[in-house]
Amino acid sequence: MPASPPRTRSINRSICTVALDRTFDGISEVRIPSDFSSNVADIIGSCNGLLCLVDYTNNIYLWNHSIRKFKKLPRTCLKNLNYATLGFAYHSQNNDYKVVRISSTSWLPTLPLPLSEIEVYTLSSDSWGRVGIDFTTNGVFFNKNNLLTTPLVSGALHWMAVKSEGEEIRDCEMIISFDVNSEEFRKLAQPHGSIDDNTINECLASFKGKLAFITYGHSEQLGFQHSIWVMREYGVVESWNKLFVLPFETPSYCVAFTEYGSLLIFMDLCTALENGKFQFLLIDTETRQEKRDPDIQYISTVAAFMESLVLLDGANVVSY
């Protein structure tokens, strides 16, 4: 079951909506057991029944609703959090959990590229530690993944990145992965021929456990389109396979893939801002059947969720 997004209510408490994976029919609404100072929280990711959340003042939380425990993480060891992207992962070798935070001094990839600071939180030690990145390029700038959560595939988190070479910025030319076990970064090549003059932006997702590369841009006909590639064999560039192209008449944004491979789309931002009505579309990528307006009422971050008994112990843990 995917857990859709926390959202603000008049009672100053955020809500998670739990919905069926195949249909996104709402099952229940769960009140998050914390009064966020900003009244709003986003989902960073979900692993084995643990949800990782961040509020708008950069506080991070782990939450296991099944055992009714909620943990606030220690404060960051980074100096600047003006622009930060986050990922949440299961550390399989040690049966542990990690949160990765990458912070830049600016949200714009201008020369010289803003410096990136990277820290990793480990649940077992309840502490943050700094991590470096060593590439031959002059600079690396990590892009946020729009509404999609940072994908965890084959034990690694993945981001799109901008790099500089000399006095030029080569926009979104590479995918950067972070191996959760070794805490090392590496570069992955994006699909050959996936970017052209019609491309507006790119993002990454997990599609049925495999890395997916999504481009959004103008269609050769009237309107827009999403093109989705999947890496059939992880780390093998030649295994990128273009699965499908989804056309839309109006601007649209990928929100999430369900565990069954259906794609949740958020449509027509301009109209939504004008009349306050948000339109979502759930697309079965095999049959292309569409379900309009599933049980989601707000612009949302979405993550797959399963019940579990994973424990949360140590400091700053609240039982409720």
Side-chain angles (χ1 to χ4, degrees), residues 55-275:
D55 67 18
Y56 282 14
T57 56
N58 294 305
N59 293 308
I60 299 176
Y61 307 82
L62 296 179
W63 179 30
N64 188 336
H65 172 64
S66 301
I67 61 172
R68 301 176 66 84
K69 286 194 174 184
F70 193 85
K71 178 181 178 66
K72 183 178 180 180
L73 271 56
R75 295 191 63 83
T76 178
C77 62
L78 303 184
K79 297 178 181 179
N80 190 349
L81 295 179
N82 289 338
Y83 181 92
T85 179
L86 296 132
F88 179 53
Y90 174 62
H91 183 187
S92 58
Q93 288 185 359
N94 293 347
N95 190 29
D96 208 348
Y97 295 86
K98 294 185 178 183
V99 179
V100 180
R101 174 156 42 194
I102 303 171
S103 177
S104 298
T105 54
S106 170
W107 64 277
L108 287 174
T110 56
L111 287 173
L113 284 181
L115 296 176
S116 293
E117 293 184 298
I118 304 164
E119 64 177 352
V120 176
Y121 169 84
T122 304
L123 178 59
S124 60
S125 65
D126 193 29
S127 63
W128 293 94
R130 287 179 176 267
V131 174
I133 183 169
D134 183 19
F135 288 147
T136 57
T137 51
N138 294 338
V140 177
F141 179 84
F142 292 82
N143 282 331
K144 285 192 174 181
N145 210 26
N146 300 321
L147 293 173
L148 290 156
T149 58
T150 302
L152 175 66
V153 178
S154 295
L157 293 163
H158 299 80
W159 288 269
M160 293 302 303
V162 177
K163 67 179 180 180
S164 66
E165 291 185 351
E167 297 182 356
E168 295 183 357
I169 293 177
R170 303 180 65 177
D171 192 13
C172 292
E173 185 172 285
M174 61 181 174
I175 300 167
I176 292 184
S177 69
F178 177 78
D179 187 295
V180 177
N181 292 316
S182 66
E183 295 195 352
E184 293 179 347
F185 287 92
R186 61 178 292 207
K187 292 182 286 186
L188 295 175
Q190 61 193 35
H192 178 70
S194 57
I195 307 298
D196 57 31
D197 292 339
N198 291 320
T199 304
I200 297 174
N201 61 39
E202 312 87 30
C203 57
L204 300 169
S206 175
F207 177 80
K208 296 182 178 180
K210 298 186 181 297
L211 185 64
F213 178 82
I214 306 168
T215 63
Y216 170 71
H218 297 284
S219 172
E220 293 182 358
Q221 291 76 38
L222 183 64
F224 304 86
Q225 67 181 29
H226 290 279
S227 300
I228 292 90
W229 283 259
V230 169
M231 182 175 270
R232 296 290 189 184
E233 184 177 352
Y234 185 75
V236 179
V237 176
E238 294 76 15
S239 71
W240 280 115
N241 180 40
K242 190 174 184 178
L243 289 188
F244 44 82
V245 177
L246 299 174
F248 296 92
E249 294 181 357
T250 59
S252 58
Y253 304 87
C254 291
V255 178
F257 279 108
T258 71
E259 293 292 286
Y260 293 96
S262 295
L263 178 61
L264 184 65
I265 293 286
F266 168 61
M267 302 181 65
D268 202 358
L269 179 62
C270 294
T271 302
L273 292 175
E274 290 177 2
N275 58 29

Side-chain angles (χ1 to χ4, degrees), residues 271-319:
T271 302
L273 292 175
E274 290 177 2
N275 58 29
K277 180 176 175 58
F278 301 106
Q279 184 177 16
F280 291 87
L281 187 66
L282 186 67
I283 303 173
D284 188 312
T285 55
E286 293 184 0
T287 66
R288 303 300 171 89
Q289 290 183 331
E290 299 179 356
K291 178 180 181 180
R292 291 188 175 271
D293 293 328
D295 289 345
I296 299 177
Q297 303 300 321
Y298 300 88
I299 299 176
S300 310
T301 48
V302 178
F305 175 76
M306 56 179 285
E307 292 187 341
S308 81
L309 299 178
V310 174
L311 295 177
L312 286 175
D313 295 314
N316 299 317
V317 174
V318 175
S319 298

